Each structure stands twice: as C-alpha cells, then as structure tokens.
Amino acid sequence: MCIPPDLEAAALASEQTESGRSGSEVGVDSGLRRRLQLVRGLQWVRAAEGDPLATLLRGYPGGALPMSAGPISRSATGTVLVDGAQAAELLTAGNGFADWRPTGTRVMAVAAEDIEPADPADVAALAAASPPPVTEVPDDLTDLVPTAELLCAKAFADLLGAEPDSLLAATPVLDNLLCPQETAVTERMLAAVDDLRAALCARTPAFFLAVVAPRLAADLVTRTAATLLADGQWPDVEGAVERTRAVYSPVRLHLTTARTDLTIAGEVVPGDSQVAVLTSPAALPQLLDLPLVYATADAVLTAIARRHPRLVSSGAALDRPLAPATRGLAHLPVASLRTELVGS
C-alpha cells in the first residue's frame, strides 16, 4: 500500500487541528493519542515500502543502519538522509534539533522548541562542571539498566536542583522527537517535562541537560558494562568509558534543519530542509558532545564496579524499543557473585 504525501499531510493536519494542543501540557488526550498512532502507522507504511529512513524512525530494536548507494539520499518521508562524515558543516554549525514533521506541522508530543536552549553556548559552560559524588549503589543488582538510569538521574538532579523522578520520566524526550512513544510513557514524559520546566525554567541550559543528559550517560554506562562483561574484563573500568565513546555515538540518528543552502557530497540541500544525520563518534551534534555526560558515566560505572566487583552477565542484553535516536539497552541482566562462589 502506498499513501501519497499529500494525504499524509491532510491526515496529520486534521489530527493536529482536532487535538488543539501544543503537546507540552500534562496528559495524553484522544486527539494527541490518535495523532501519535497515525505517525507510527505512516512510518510503518513507508518502512514497508523500503524507505531506509522510515525503517530507522520506527525505532525497532536491532534495526540495521540503512544501506545507501551514496552518502546522501532523499527519503519519501520528506527528509534528507546524510552520512555523518559528510555533514560536518551541518553538525558543527550548531543548527540544533528538529522533530519529525512530515507535513511541516508539529506532530510529536514534545517538540524540539520545547527543549532546545535559548543560548546553546551556555550549555557548554554548564556541561564542563564536575559531577557530584555517586552514592547509594544498591546491594541487590539483577538488571544494570534501571540501576544506571537511577544513579545518573540522581547525579544530575543533585547538580541541577531537580527531582530524580522527573529526570527519569523525561528520558524518552530525544527519541520522542523521532518516534511516538507508548501512551503511558508519553503521559509520564509530559508531566515530567512540565515539572522540570517549572523547576529549571524553559529553554535554559539546566533544563536542556535535565531532559537529555541522564539517558545519554546511562546508555554509556550500560554499553560500556556490556562490553566489559562480554570480554571478561569486569571490573577493570579505568578508561573503559572513553573506549566505548570511540565506538558508540551518544545518538545514532540526529534530526536538524539546514538554515541556509548547503552543499553536501556535491548535492545542494536547500535552507529549511529537514536533515537526518547518521552520526558517528567522530561526527556528533555540537549540543550533544557533553563532557559532563562522559564524566558522570565514568563516575557511575566506577561506583558500580567498586560495589560489585564480581559482576557477571546472567542473560542476553536487550535493545530499547522505539529509540531511533539513542538506541540504548532496555535490559542488561547481571548477577553479583559472592567472593566464596568465585571459581566454584
């Protein structure tokens, strides 16, 4: 089945008008719920038709990166897809974030303008701070993902002056810009964003870090731990975060807008075009290259290793669904062995 783009636009615009919501208020009403379901359906249809960007936007775990005949391609979703190595000018120019708007109309629950700081330069100053000490590593450890998420949320909450629960509930924000989240997740996210906006003020560096940094740090912790456990190197965590950063980008898919005409790989991308960049560790969005995230991940990983030096894997790691941007782990089953059991 093929849905013409003009029908997509009409359907989404109709849902936007019916809902009458900006998307940042607490709760998920019927109009917003239908709009998000429609977006998910449109992405599914485009992916079924073979569109590589739509395949990524759906955020299915383990989804392969799209193969392209060249470094730049144009998606039927209306977005230009670019290899990060070819988008250096776009990424370093600080063009910021975009949310997926196939019609030019806001369709996601939380949009880019809700989270982007008014002065991106101020983020760099705040992101150069040292993370607070990491404490309260739990004695019982069966899944490293929720533990890493909680510890990272507490660290940033202490630093920014916010509630850890709000930071935890806001963690789907980056993925929400590209892919509709489940209704319950969306509802918690909207409430958390409103709480953080009230506590930290909208479009400030502190608010931006609160909604993006905890998930990036936790993903770095769990990816690093998964590698160490698989290689039998736990608890040798010194320098491990840096090694993971050389392999995994904090985000794998970044949506932005070309503010002026750009020439990428010999092709002209007009200004105001929506561009999806397949990032790499060497080609990151300027706003997401955050030293504080790396330092926090290192501190959390070190604290876990000290408390649980005999950690072993107890099951297969599972990727997070509906996460086209962060593509982190949903579960990392582990067990902490007692000393007397080691070698038995």
Side-chain angles (χ1 to χ4, degrees):
M1 177 178 65
C2 179
I3 300 179
D6 56 341
L7 292 185
E8 293 183 4
L12 285 168
S14 174
E15 290 295 338
Q16 175 75 13
T17 302
E18 180 180 344
S19 174
R21 294 172 57 88
S22 68
S24 60
E25 301 169 24
V26 175
V28 179
D29 68 6
S30 60
L32 176 58
R33 184 180 295 109
R34 287 196 301 271
R35 191 167 76 248
L36 297 180
Q37 290 171 343
L38 179 57
V39 169
R40 187 176 294 118
L42 293 174
Q43 290 177 347
W44 186 92
V45 169
R46 290 301 184 195
E49 294 171 347
D51 189 284
L53 176 59
T55 301
L56 289 179
L57 290 174
R58 293 173 65 200
Y60 269 34
L65 295 181
M67 301 300 293
S68 174
I72 183 170
S73 59
R74 299 180 186 277
S75 167
T77 63
T79 304
V80 180
L81 181 61
V82 181
D83 186 318
Q86 304 292 329
E89 181 181 357
L90 190 68
L91 291 172
T92 58
N95 285 338
F97 296 90
D99 52 294
W100 191 60
R101 303 187 184 197
T103 67
T105 301
R106 175 180 179 138
V107 295
M108 293 302 184
V110 176
E113 63 260 29
D114 294 325
I115 66 170
E116 193 171 32
D119 188 351
D122 288 344
V123 173
L126 182 57
S130 299
V134 178
T135 58
E136 300 179 9
V137 177
D139 292 335
D140 295 326
L141 197 55
T142 57
D143 188 341
L144 202 58
V145 171
T147 297
E149 289 179 340
L150 179 59
L151 292 175
C152 289
K154 285 182 175 179
F156 281 100
D158 288 345
L159 179 71
L160 301 173
E163 291 297 323
D165 287 347
S166 295
L167 270 69
L168 277 173
T171 52
V173 161
L174 278 180
D175 291 307
N176 155 88
L177 297 182
L178 308 183
C179 175
Q181 305 296 295
E182 294 177 352
T183 299
V185 173
T186 299
E187 195 160 44
R188 290 193 297 270
M189 178 183 67
L190 289 173
V193 168
D194 277 3
D195 289 344
L196 291 170
R197 184 185 295 111
L200 303 174
C201 299
R203 305 199 67 195
T204 61
F207 177 75
F208 174 76
L209 285 180
V211 297
V212 305
R215 168 142 288 179
L216 299 184
D219 283 350
L220 191 52
V221 170
T222 53
R223 285 292 188 191
T224 303
T227 300
L228 293 173
L229 291 169
D231 294 343
Q233 295 180 349
W234 187 271
D236 185 11
V237 299
E238 185 175 356
V241 166
E242 191 65 27
R243 293 193 296 273
T244 299
R245 284 181 54 205
V247 178
Y248 293 101
S249 175
V251 294
R252 306 296 182 85
L253 184 65
H254 173 64
L255 232 63
T256 188
T257 303
R259 292 179 178 169
T260 61
D261 291 355
L262 293 172
T263 300
I264 300 177
E267 291 194 39
V268 175
V269 177
D272 292 329
S273 297
Q274 189 175 82
V275 182
V277 182
L278 290 168
T279 68
S280 71
L284 295 177
Q286 193 173 49
L287 266 176
L288 294 178
D289 191 6
L290 302 169
L292 183 57
V293 165
Y294 312 141
T296 301
D298 184 69
V300 168
L301 187 69
T302 300
I304 295 173
R306 287 176 177 170
R307 179 66 188 84
H308 297 278
R310 305 298 186 182
L311 204 66
V312 296
S313 175
S314 63
L318 299 178
D319 290 335
R320 182 186 304 123
L322 305 180
T326 59
R327 296 173 66 87
L329 296 179
H331 298 287
L332 181 57
V334 293
S336 186
L337 302 181
R338 297 196 304 272
T339 302
E340 60 269 23
L341 295 181
V342 175
S344 62

